[in-house]
Amino acid sequence: QDSVKKIININSLIERSTVLFEDCTDKRFVVDKELDPALSRAECNESQVEQVVLNLLLNARDAMPDGGDIFVRTQNIYLNHEACKHYHNVTGGNFIEILVKDSGSGMSQEIQKRIFDPFFTTKEEGRGTGLGLSTVERIVKNHRGFVEVFSREGQGATFKIYVPVYEA
């Protein structure tokens, strides 16, 4: 993909992505948004970050075959070095957090350990390639960010994407 980065408004990108998602999905899925109006800008490849958001929305949809709620939030957050020490090439500082949470079936610890592996999927044959979340992780890492996942079986899943704030 094109690797050109520019300074973008992630809230605008999320608004566009959720409209596209809702236009292509049936009405059993409700997307609620809480987008910080004072959200900082990020230096990102717009189409790649849009791909991240759409992949997370589509995975949330797939985790809720009977429909459900998807919650998307953005906020500015400061993370110190200690909070980032487990992530390669991330030193701490000001970040934009993009949270995508679903009310789906959740994941076991065993599945969570493998979700970013290329070609790993829990979907039936012909319903996915297993590249969505590995692509999400790769794109976020290429933007000097990281991904956190929180899930329990029967309690849905929460994905938090962190990308550095653009500091002029």
Side-chain angles (χ1 to χ4, degrees):
Q1 283 191 2
D2 179 17
S3 62
V4 174
K5 293 180 181 176
K6 61 184 181 178
I7 301 162
I8 66 167
N9 178 331
I10 289 192
N11 283 343
S12 296
L13 181 143
I14 289 173
E15 289 286 3
R16 285 193 316 271
S17 298
T18 55
V19 166
L20 178 62
F21 172 79
E22 290 171 330
D23 285 349
C24 297
T25 306
D26 67 47
K27 301 304 175 209
R28 296 177 301 143
F29 301 94
V30 176
V31 179
D32 292 314
K33 297 181 292 266
E34 186 179 298
L35 306 179
D36 181 352
L39 193 69
S40 297
R41 307 277 184 189
E43 186 174 16
C44 296
N45 178 294
E46 196 166 7
S47 65
Q48 289 179 1
V49 175
E50 187 171 49
Q51 184 177 359
V52 165
V53 172
L54 286 170
N55 274 338
L56 293 177
L57 290 171
L58 292 170
N59 275 0
R61 179 203 64 192
D62 292 346
M64 303 181 295
D66 298 323
D69 298 321
I70 302 171
F71 177 68
V72 179
R73 180 186 72 207
T74 60
Q75 67 178 350
N76 294 313
I77 189 166
Y78 176 80
L79 299 171
N80 63 24
H81 175 73
E82 187 68 19
C84 299
K85 70 180 181 182
H86 300 293
Y87 302 101
H88 179 69
N89 222 12
V90 179
T91 58
N94 293 310
F95 287 84
I96 294 170
E97 178 190 82
I98 304 167
L99 177 143
V100 178
K101 180 178 182 177
D102 67 60
S103 60
S105 56
M107 296 176 276
S108 69
Q109 290 294 326
E110 294 77 32
I111 289 175
Q112 286 182 61
K113 291 176 186 174
R114 300 198 54 209
I115 59 173
F116 297 116
D117 293 349
F119 304 109
F120 174 76
T121 184
T122 59
K123 297 174 186 165
E124 63 217 31
E125 192 170 326
R127 292 232 3 145
T129 62
L131 291 173
L133 289 176
S134 65
T135 300
V136 164
E137 184 183 49
R138 177 59 46 212
I139 289 171
V140 173
K141 282 182 176 180
N142 287 343
H143 284 82
R144 298 181 341 266
F146 61 96
V147 181
E148 290 184 333
V149 181
F150 307 92
S151 184
R152 288 204 169 131
E153 289 184 274
Q155 296 182 14
T158 301
F159 285 80
K160 291 183 177 182
I161 306 297
Y162 296 93
V163 293
V165 164
Y166 173 73
E167 312 263 5

